[in-house]
Amino acid sequence: MEKKPTGSSLSKALTMLNHVCTSPVPLRFAELVDLSELPKATAHRQLNTLLEHGLVRFDEHKQAYYPGYGLLALAHRTWANLDIRDVAASPMRDLWSSTQETIHLAVLDGADVIYIDKLESPKSLRLYSAVGKKGPVYCTGVGKAMLAFLPTQTQQQIISEQAFIRHTEHTLTTPEALQDNLQQIKDTGISLDLEEHEIGIKCAAAPIFNSRHEVVAAISVTAPAFRTHDDVYEEMKKSVKLAAEVISKHLGACDYSDEE
């Protein structure tokens, strides 16, 4: 009698993956069918999906399934982001203490930025951002800070995927204008959001690098425009760049300020 599938397709695939990863010995197809209690057709379909994504691999000689190398890539990316949060925690607090303004830590997620940490200003300030929330790359300080230091091909691909919606009168709305701004960011090591995403909100951001000199995140200070007159804004720029350099060094990066 054929066994009946239970749960969602994702649940079935994860069940299969769990069996492959936790078994002390490589499992054959028949063994996986028995352990998962799925019909053969369903089990075969779920395993093919896992194979396509590199989450399991199949040894033709042994006719058995092993954990895939794609799991290592996922684990590496996950730990990299978690490590950045841990390493950035102290410099973020120092930056928050010295500026008393909102501090963001963000990474790229495809053609968007995603905020992975945030320290709120003790002063009254309402912002679009929130931990776990995505934002546009082309008009945020953190987004442009990372985009400026990406390899050319990756950078151009991300630029091509931007919507270039005009959020304010200051938003950069063409690839050419953004490209000019990115060159300025490469020259100075500082990315500015001059009320480009939200009217009345200014930001100074800087890129964070790993030991391979790859940009992996960005940190920013965000404040209302009325609190960022020239001398204050200059201090914000210096402070955020220093914080980014400290985090980068903790991640194994050399002093990149003299290299660009």
Side-chain angles (χ1 to χ4, degrees), residues 240-253:
V240 77
K241 188 173 184 180
L242 177 60
E245 289 175 355
V246 169
I247 297 168
S248 296
K249 286 176 182 177
H250 288 168
L251 290 171

Side-chain angles (χ1 to χ4, degrees), residues 127-153:
L127 294 171
Y128 161 90
S129 62
V131 173
K133 192 170 186 177
K134 289 186 178 183
V137 168
Y138 69 98
C139 61
T140 55
V142 287
K144 293 189 295 177
M146 291 182 281
L147 188 60
F149 292 91
L150 288 174
T152 301
Q153 185 174 351

Side-chain angles (χ1 to χ4, degrees), residues 145 148-150 182-190 207 209 212-215 241 245 254-260:
F149 292 91
L150 288 174
L182 295 179
Q183 185 57 55
Q184 294 172 6
I185 294 166
K186 285 204 75 173
D187 292 341
T188 62
I190 293 289
F209 298 93
R212 296 181 296 277
H213 199 68
E214 299 164 335
V215 63
K241 188 173 184 180
E245 289 175 355
C254 60
D255 183 2
Y256 60 86
S257 60
D258 295 327
E259 296 182 358
E260 298 303 332

Side-chain angles (χ1 to χ4, degrees), residues 158-200:
I158 291 176
I159 290 174
S160 73
E161 295 176 25
Q162 299 305 300
F164 288 106
I165 296 168
R166 184 181 291 280
H167 295 280
T168 77
E169 62 181 308
H170 305 291
T171 306
L172 303 177
T173 56
T174 67
E176 293 76 19
L178 176 59
Q179 200 74 64
D180 288 344
N181 191 203
L182 295 179
Q183 185 57 55
Q184 294 172 6
I185 294 166
K186 285 204 75 173
D187 292 341
T188 62
I190 293 289
S191 170
L192 305 179
D193 171 359
L194 302 172
E195 302 183 63
E196 296 164 40
H197 191 215
E198 295 182 74
I199 200 69

Side-chain angles (χ1 to χ4, degrees), residues 2 9 17 23 44 80 87 94 98 127 152 165-166 188 215 260:
E2 191 179 48
S9 181
L17 182 60
S23 174
H44 188 264
V87 170
D94 291 343
S98 65
L127 294 171
T152 301
I165 296 168
R166 184 181 291 280
T188 62
V215 63
E260 298 303 332

